[in-house]
Amino acid sequence: MKRNQGLIAFLFIFPYMLIFFMFRLLPSIGSLLISLTDWKIIGAPNFVGLKNYISLFQDKNFFTALANNFRFLLIVLPVLLFASLFVAIALNGKLKGRNLVRTIAIIPYVIIPAVVGVMWNWIYDANFGILNYLLSQLGVDKVGWLIDKSYALPAVAVVVIWSYLGYNMILYLAGLQGINKELFEASQIDGATKWQQFRYITWPLLRSTTSLLITLTLINVMQVYDQVVVMTGGGPRGATMTLIQYQYIAGFEKRNMGYSATVGVAILAILIVLVGVQKRLFKADEGREG
Amino acid sequence: MAAKAKKAFQYLLMSALSAVFIFPILWAVASSLKTETNIVAFPPQLVPSPFTLESYNTVLAKYPYAGWMVNSIVIAVMSTLFVLVIASLAAYAFARLEFPMKKPLFSLITAMMLIPIQGYMIPLFKMLNALNMRATPELSSLSLILCSGANITSLFILTTFFREVPNSLEEAARIDGCSDFRFFATMVLPLSAAALSSVAILTFISNWNQFLWPSIVLSGNKNLTLPVAIARYFGAAGQDAAFKYGPSLAAACMAILPTLLVFLSLQKYFVEGIAHSGIKG
């Protein structure tokens, strides 16, 4: 059976591997190397050892950006998980029009994030936005959603939630459909309450879906960027500045590529730690993938 | 009675949800079709009256919007085709052939899935500059397509699917003296049409929406992609004294159209694709 498979396989994988090595693997390794230099776009890079990493730990702005990412996470993660699970459970079962709702729900997820930002800028506009108009009908004063330091970050977080809610809901619905209906019937005969059914059947059996959704949310929120650029530009006064924007500014505005690469490596390290911790917390689930 | 109340609640919830998801989009569309004075009318006008394409004309006249649109479509379509070709070839080898270093190579590739673009964009940018790939706008578009080829999710989904092609088919094909390439092209690909469609739509949409990397690579302002152009000219940074909502919403609405067309015609595969890409996370 094993004819000249090595050569044939080489021909099949060659184009992909070439692109992968050139545009993904090499630059990823390069990031580590450049982060050890003082490269400034123009001129030759000099080796500076761990200098960039030491600066990073003393950089107040980096920690401000990091804190902002965590603020996003603290708002987005619980709301997304709870809301999508609640909606999925409520809409589980045969319902007319559910497919239509599913289609509508995924639309925010597929639209260009930059465009989503533009649409919400208009809703949030302090003077002419419809949100402030509706609030004014209730007697609430004008809120500068995107220009007030205390509202800007939650306002953008709501947009992030809006983008991902339908996507999460669909994954939970798929998970619910995988649960054997007989489990509910049997537990009902045994006199289990709705809460007990949720606690002992639904929740444990949705564990892998929950784990996946948390991982995806961690990855997405630690990289939130497009909407921020379009909605606030990182303002007001840095209130919504996130890690990626900070990295972009370091590299392409301040032209400090070595430092920018360092920030990139740091973001990746933070992401690996977060996802690692999350996987550990959901370890019971890992046996399945083994 | 309880069942009826539950149904009523479910339909109420579905309507409320649909409204939440669709309203911001409809509101943008409605506002983009109003005159500049009516956009900021008080109280807000729900249905545009008079109905006008003024904002759309402004965008098309003042900005190279058609060029952005064409460039976005070319880059997203070419990237998708490129990924489909090279990833399906490689996926065939990983799924069905034996070769040295197969397992470690595959593990290396999937391990890289977690590294986002900002983890390697600085050296990639340096490399593209060194190769003179950003010298002209066309070259910078081409480099964007080449970079998008290293798509790991697609390789992963296709490998999973190609493994499921029954071995009996392969044995029969071998007995008939069928070459690997012919077996791949005439049996495996057609049998995996659904997976290929999923990969196609996921790749198209992620390339179409991409912002950070194109904003770095693309040079010149005529050949930008829509996300980059919209952020640059119609976002927070573009809000100068002369900023008007009409054109910015018109620009946004036109950029949604291709996404909606692709999504609505292939949505079945899209939802399946989400489920499959979720297999491993």
Side-chain angles (χ1 to χ4, degrees):
Chain A
M1 198 63 197
K2 276 202 179 175
R3 300 149 307 118
N4 214 347
Q5 280 202 338
L7 178 67
I8 294 167
F10 176 77
L11 294 175
F12 270 96
I13 62 168
F14 182 73
Y16 184 87
M17 292 317 287
L18 180 70
I19 296 287
F20 174 77
F21 273 114
M22 259 188 88
F23 297 119
R24 197 124 182 185
L25 188 63
L26 279 182
S28 297
I29 298 166
S31 253
L32 285 172
L33 298 178
I34 290 183
S35 74
L36 302 175
T37 71
D38 65 352
W39 185 43
K40 300 253 193 284
I41 293 197
I42 313 159
N46 299 307
F47 179 78
V48 294
L50 292 176
K51 188 170 158 275
N52 286 328
Y53 289 90
I54 293 164
S55 312
L56 188 75
F57 275 101
Q58 297 164 342
D59 184 345
K60 233 176 65 196
N61 294 330
F62 171 75
F63 285 101
T64 307
L66 181 62
N68 283 338
N69 274 86
F70 278 110
R71 279 189 200 113
F72 270 113
L73 200 59
L74 276 178
I75 302 173
V76 174
L77 185 64
V79 175
L80 252 189
L81 274 188
F82 176 77
S84 57
L85 181 61
F86 174 78
V87 172
I89 289 176
L91 299 184
N92 193 25
K94 281 207 168 61
L95 272 177
K96 258 186 219 149
R98 205 184 63 175
N99 283 345
L100 180 66
V101 174
R102 259 189 0 176
T103 304
I104 291 175
I106 202 82
I107 289 176
Y109 177 77
V110 294
I111 299 178
I112 303 175
V115 165
V116 169
V118 169
M119 292 184 330
W120 280 87
N121 277 351
W122 173 223
I123 290 174
Y124 279 138
D125 188 88
N127 294 316
F128 308 112
I130 191 143
L131 182 59
N132 273 353
Y133 169 74
L134 293 174
L135 289 175
S136 75
Q137 299 304 99
L138 301 171
V140 180
D141 280 343
K142 272 181 188 171
V143 179
W145 293 108
L146 298 173
I147 44 182
D148 186 319
K149 216 169 177 302
S150 43
Y151 290 106
L153 191 138
V156 179
V158 165
V159 177
V160 175
I161 292 169
W162 181 78
S163 301
Y164 289 110
L165 182 61
Y167 175 90
N168 283 27
M169 184 187 96
I170 285 175
L171 281 185
Y172 264 137
L173 273 173
L176 283 172
Q177 253 134 44
I179 298 178
N180 192 340
K181 299 257 175 329
E182 286 169 22
L183 284 173
F184 291 106
E185 287 158 18
S187 65
Q188 207 161 11
I189 294 167
D190 291 342
T193 62
K194 286 265 174 229
W195 168 251
Q196 284 171 328
Q197 287 187 337
F198 173 78
R199 177 71 188 78
Y200 297 106
I201 301 174
T202 316
W203 181 246
L205 289 177
L206 286 179
R207 210 180 159 82
S208 63
T209 311
T210 306
S211 172
L212 171 68
L213 288 177
I214 294 177
T215 307
L216 292 176
T217 307
L218 285 176
I219 293 175
N220 290 329
V221 173
M222 290 317 277
Q223 298 181 61
V224 61
Y225 177 66
D226 309 17
Q227 297 95 329
V228 175
V229 169
V230 173
M231 297 180 72
T232 63
R237 278 170 292 134
T240 55
M241 161 88 63
T242 58
L243 287 170
I244 298 211
Q245 196 181 9
Y246 188 63
Q247 186 194 2
Y248 179 89
I249 290 170
F252 297 95
E253 282 174 21
K254 297 192 175 153
R255 316 231 137 203
N256 196 344
M257 299 303 242
Y259 193 63
S260 181
T262 310
V263 178
V265 172
I267 298 175
L268 177 63
I270 294 165
L271 205 55
I272 290 175
V273 169
L274 284 177
V275 173
V277 168
Q278 187 264 325
K279 292 264 178 207
R280 195 155 277 258
L281 290 176
F282 277 80
K283 206 166 182 189
D285 181 58
E286 292 293 284
R288 193 179 56 93
E289 278 178 11
Chain B
M1 204 49 211
K4 249 194 181 153
K6 192 183 169 199
K7 272 266 138 71
F9 170 72
Q10 286 179 319
Y11 282 108
L12 200 69
L13 182 67
M14 288 207 299
S15 319
L17 263 182
S18 309
V20 166
F21 288 132
I22 213 84
F23 177 77
I25 302 167
L26 285 183
W27 185 235
V29 174
S31 304
S32 73
L33 293 167
K34 292 175 191 170
T35 59
E36 200 58 55
T37 32
N38 278 346
I39 289 178
V40 294
F42 189 89
Q45 222 183 19
L46 276 181
V47 180
S49 136
F51 185 90
T52 172
L53 291 175
E54 183 185 299
S55 300
Y56 289 84
N57 289 334
T58 310
V59 172
L60 295 175
K62 259 182 81 180
Y63 302 93
Y65 197 90
W68 295 335
M69 179 69 88
V70 170
N71 203 46
S72 272
I73 293 176
V74 169
I75 289 179
V77 169
M78 296 299 283
S79 302
T80 307
L81 290 177
F82 186 49
V83 168
L84 279 179
V85 172
I86 65 172
S88 64
L89 282 168
Y92 176 80
F94 282 117
R96 311 204 63 94
L97 297 176
E98 285 309 320
F99 57 94
M101 299 290 285
K102 177 170 131 171
K103 278 231 168 91
L105 218 45
F106 196 67
S107 308
L108 174 70
I109 294 172
T110 46
M112 298 287 292
M113 206 182 315
L114 189 64
I115 304 187
I117 179 74
Q118 67 272 13
Y120 58 94
M121 66 183 185
I122 303 288
L124 195 52
F125 177 76
K126 186 177 163 68
M127 190 171 85
L128 293 179
N129 275 338
L131 294 172
N132 232 356
M133 288 289 285
R134 290 181 68 252
T136 69
E138 291 74 23
L139 276 176
S140 69
S141 299
L142 175 68
S143 63
L144 209 55
I145 296 169
L146 286 176
C147 292
S148 72
N151 185 316
I152 298 176
T153 321
S154 302
L155 179 80
F156 189 78
I157 297 177
L158 290 175
T159 306
T160 317
F161 256 83
F162 291 172
R163 280 199 192 115
E164 284 165 22
V165 173
N167 279 329
S168 53
L169 267 181
E170 185 173 347
E171 279 153 26
R174 294 241 188 272
I175 290 166
D176 289 344
C178 188
S179 72
D180 273 295
F181 187 75
R182 249 190 73 203
F183 177 63
F184 164 74
T186 61
M187 304 288 284
V188 176
L189 285 187
L191 280 173
S192 310
L196 290 168
S197 310
S198 298
V199 168
I201 183 171
L202 289 175
T203 313
F204 178 86
I205 289 185
S206 72
N207 279 301
W208 180 262
N209 291 355
Q210 215 187 4
F211 171 65
L212 174 63
W213 180 234
S215 78
I216 293 168
V217 174
L218 292 175
S219 51
N221 70 347
K222 282 204 177 109
N223 81 319
L224 297 177
T225 57
L226 286 169
V228 181
I230 285 172
R232 192 167 296 174
Y233 294 101
F234 305 103
Q239 295 201 8
D240 48 26
F243 181 82
K244 287 200 170 98
Y245 270 108
S248 118
L249 292 168
C253 292
M254 285 190 278
I256 298 180
L257 216 56
T259 321
L260 285 187
L261 286 179
V262 170
F263 170 67
L264 292 176
S265 53
L266 291 169
Q267 57 154 315
K268 178 171 155 261
Y269 300 110
F270 186 77
V271 176
E272 274 173 19
I274 289 177
H276 289 302
S277 60
I279 295 172
K280 182 122 187 189

